Amino acid sequence: MLGTPALVALLAMAPVGVTHPTHRWRIYRNQRFGTLAEVPDDLFGTARPADNGDGATWTARGGARLRIFGSWNVLEETPASYDAFLRNGRSGRYASVTYKVTRRDLLILSGTHQGMVFYERYAFGDPSGAIHALVLDYPATARSTFDPIVARLSASLRWTPGRAGERIRRLDQAPRRIPSGPVRQRIRPGSRPGCIVKVGIRHLRLCS
């Protein structure tokens, strides 16, 4: 059986189109962010959507759990800074990371914690400003079942335009018109009156 470092090292070489003969795969796509990945339908039950619409969670026998979701990169995190954020925010989980990849648009963390194997992939670079994530946890005693699916599951994570991203794209492409008459303004704390005007979901700065 492959150890975690050896197994995950194969991920970059695993094409999305390769099929596993013992599993039935289906595509999940989050409507809000456009996060997309393939899920082994025969291993995991019905998806449970998140209340805020950012993704979904699946569970399997024995305690395995899969989460696929998107989130806004409001703090303009990089893969390196997001790695630091995760490690600082969840004490203990990342103390035994055995494999890590940090690239310009990718962060992968894998290891074990309290008898569970975890694998996390975060994809950056979406023009909409979203981070797309896949987080898999499964018992170390079930590695013979879940280790073989990691390569395809991870390689399948990508994105297509979601509803939120499309709304921002349309706003960015719309012609900018500076109002000539009086406008109703929503002033942010610390801003000078007359400088910030709310247009749709964004605020435009009209003076420096």
Side-chain angles (χ1 to χ4, degrees):
M1 188 190 311
L2 289 174
T4 300
L7 169 68
V8 185
L10 298 175
L11 297 177
M13 298 182 289
V16 175
V18 173
T19 60
H20 194 286
T22 62
H23 294 299
R24 186 174 61 250
W25 295 82
R26 62 182 174 82
I27 294 176
Y28 163 77
R29 179 180 182 273
N30 173 255
Q31 295 297 321
R32 180 182 178 190
F33 289 101
T35 308
L36 186 149
E38 297 179 51
V39 178
D41 196 36
D42 55 307
L43 280 181
F44 293 96
T46 303
R48 188 176 74 250
D51 292 339
N52 63 359
D54 67 355
T57 300
W58 294 258
T59 56
R61 293 180 181 178
R65 185 175 72 158
L66 170 65
R67 291 180 292 147
I68 301 172
F69 58 94
S71 62
W72 291 125
N73 190 4
V74 295
L75 299 180
E76 299 184 352
E77 300 274 12
T78 65
S81 67
Y82 199 62
D83 174 34
F85 165 75
L86 291 174
R87 290 172 181 265
N88 292 334
R90 299 188 65 176
S91 176
R93 177 176 172 89
Y94 302 103
S96 57
V97 170
T98 56
Y99 182 81
K100 182 174 80 167
V101 172
T102 306
R103 298 177 184 164
R104 182 178 61 85
D105 58 358
L106 178 66
L107 172 64
I108 296 175
L109 296 170
S110 183
T112 58
H113 179 60
Q114 297 181 347
M116 300 288 286
V117 178
F118 64 85
Y119 178 85
E120 304 182 10
R121 182 180 183 113
Y122 301 92
F124 295 71
D126 185 343
S128 74
I131 299 173
H132 302 274
L134 181 154
V135 177
L136 174 66
D137 294 90
Y138 55 95
T141 56
R143 296 187 66 164
S144 60
T145 298
F146 292 95
D147 277 2
I149 73 168
V150 173
R152 176 169 178 173
L153 185 63
S154 174
S156 72
L157 180 66
R158 53 199 185 275
W159 67 81
T160 59
R163 287 197 305 261
E166 280 294 306
R167 187 165 61 248
I168 290 177
R169 183 181 64 82
R170 289 195 299 268
L171 181 62
D172 286 340
Q173 293 178 351
R176 294 291 192 254
R177 297 182 60 187
I178 305 300
S180 58
V183 295
R184 179 173 295 177
Q185 301 175 10
R186 179 179 176 182
I187 306 302
R188 287 181 173 178
S191 299
R192 302 206 313 270
C195 288
I196 304 297
V197 177
K198 185 178 182 183
V199 179
I201 63 173
R202 291 196 169 182
H203 292 78
L204 302 181
R205 181 178 297 276
L206 302 184
C207 57
S208 58

